[in-house]
Amino acid sequence: MTTEHNLAIYKMHRTGLPLHDFISHFTYYKNHTPHHSIDRFLPNGNIEIVIDLTQTPKFIYDNTTLTEIQACKELWVSGIRNNYITIPSGLNSEMFIINFNKGKSCPFLGFPLHEITDKVIDGGLVLNKIFLRLRDRLLTCNGIEKKFAIAEEVLTRHFRSALVTNPVIEYAVNRVLAAPEMTAIRNIAARTGYSSKHLIHLFEHHVGVSPKSFLRIIRFQKSILEIERNGYTNFTSLALDCGYYDQSHFIADFKNFSGFTPVEYLKRKNNQLNYVPVR
């Protein structure tokens, strides 16, 4: 018999102003029961703060052997990634996740983002103590909507004065997101009036990777979204639609970011974008 206590829950909450310009949404899930235990998580250009509302450590696994290589407890920050990572599928978890808009997490983290690129870092070591106190409050309050409200209130109150955007980064990131298949980084640099070297420095600080690397990630994201929506099997056409020079460049990037060829990905994907079951 299914009861409310063990029903699977997955909810998203769009933040209001002023957080909305910086935080895309909060995610809460509990009692997720997938038929597999380990996922391959693909680079998506995002940075997240993950608040674990259980006492059970969550592990990061070696991409090849699937052995445990890192334990994550209570609170951690996941940097932008150039490569896939192997993580738990969410079985028996209760998570509250702060999902930042791309290029907008700096006011909350307070350090150059390239320092955590391709890393998952213990939040107690690098984050403001407000996040640990937020976790304590989330643990003691009942109701998902109340958890969302508390998180929004706490983050707004504590970070309001720091919520300042960098207009160059905002312009460049939005250009890439709007049309990755048409974007050339040299054109963005020319429009901003900055040298390529200075634009790279700003990107590494505010986004975590260079403009070229960010563009590659977003083109890859466009390709898997097109596969999900339209079931592409003509990969030459898909490569051109996503801005790749040719199919060989597309396949090389696809394998770098996912560990699979597009054909292998089609066979393995599980209708959950950026998560591929591996065990």
Side-chain angles (χ1 to χ4, degrees), residues 14-29:
R14 301 285 181 183
T15 56
L17 292 173
L19 293 183
H20 180 69
D21 287 342
F22 298 83
I23 295 174
S24 168
H25 60 280
F26 301 138
T27 302
Y28 174 87
Y29 68 85

Side-chain angles (χ1 to χ4, degrees), residues 130 137 150 152-161:
I130 192 68
R137 290 192 62 183
I150 286 173
E152 190 156 354
E153 185 273 326
V154 167
L155 297 180
T156 298
R157 174 165 41 84
H158 191 85
F159 291 101
R160 182 187 293 272
S161 63

Side-chain angles (χ1 to χ4, degrees), residues 6-251:
N6 59 22
L7 282 174
I9 301 169
Y10 183 93
K11 286 198 174 184
M12 294 171 56
H13 170 79
R14 301 285 181 183
T15 56
L17 292 173
L19 293 183
H20 180 69
D21 287 342
F22 298 83
I23 295 174
S24 168
H25 60 280
F26 301 138
T27 302
Y28 174 87
Y29 68 85
K30 183 179 181 181
N31 298 329
H32 182 45
T33 55
H35 297 297
H36 61 284
S37 59
I38 297 179
D39 274 324
R40 180 171 293 183
F41 179 54
L42 310 182
N44 61 2
N46 292 346
I47 290 175
E48 300 169 340
I49 292 176
V50 181
I51 302 174
D52 188 351
L53 299 178
T54 75
Q55 298 299 320
T56 306
K58 306 302 185 293
F59 294 98
I60 299 172
Y61 303 95
D62 181 271
N63 287 333
T64 303
T65 66
L66 302 185
T67 55
E68 297 167 1
I69 59 174
Q70 181 180 346
C72 301
K73 302 176 183 179
E74 296 188 352
L75 172 71
W76 56 91
V77 56
S78 180
I80 192 171
R81 308 202 68 83
N82 289 292
N83 303 105
Y84 56 87
I85 187 173
T86 307
I87 60 174
S89 64
L91 184 66
N92 301 321
S93 295
E94 183 181 8
M95 297 288 191
F96 189 101
I97 304 170
I98 302 170
N99 305 269
F100 292 102
N101 288 318
K102 293 175 176 64
K104 294 291 189 71
S105 59
C106 257
F108 300 86
L109 302 186
F111 50 79
L113 297 187
H114 63 81
E115 294 181 0
I116 60 168
T117 298
D118 288 316
K119 297 176 183 176
V120 177
I121 305 294
D122 182 342
L125 299 178
V126 297
L127 294 177
N128 189 296
K129 298 303 180 185
I130 192 68
F131 290 102
L132 282 172
R133 293 198 290 271
L134 173 59
R135 180 179 183 271
D136 290 339
R137 290 192 62 183
L138 296 177
L139 284 169
T140 57
C141 81
N142 295 318
I144 300 167
E145 296 304 324
K146 187 173 182 181
K147 291 182 192 296
F148 289 145
I150 286 173
E152 190 156 354
E153 185 273 326
V154 167
L155 297 180
T156 298
R157 174 165 41 84
H158 191 85
F159 291 101
R160 182 187 293 272
S161 63
L163 299 183
V164 179
T165 61
N166 181 294
V168 172
I169 292 299
E170 187 167 33
Y171 166 76
V173 167
N174 287 342
R175 276 284 302 271
V176 171
L177 294 177
E181 74 282 1
M182 299 175 61
T183 299
I185 298 302
R186 63 180 179 276
N187 294 339
I188 292 177
R191 288 292 299 271
T192 64
Y194 286 115
S195 67
S196 295
K197 183 177 180 180
H198 189 53
L199 185 61
I200 290 170
H201 172 75
L202 285 177
F203 247 77
E204 289 178 342
H205 183 99
H206 290 273
V207 180
V209 293
S210 70
K212 182 178 179 180
S213 294
F214 183 70
L215 177 59
R216 287 180 62 213
I217 293 167
I218 301 306
R219 281 180 174 167
F220 167 70
Q221 282 293 305
K222 179 178 173 64
S223 73
I224 62 172
L225 184 60
E226 289 294 327
I227 289 173
E228 200 65 38
R229 287 175 173 171
N230 303 312
Y232 265 92
T233 55
N234 184 337
F235 295 121
T236 299
S237 175
L238 178 59
L240 295 176
D241 288 347
C242 293
Y244 292 94
Y245 180 73
D246 56 28
Q247 184 175 335
S248 63
H249 284 83
F250 164 66
I251 292 175

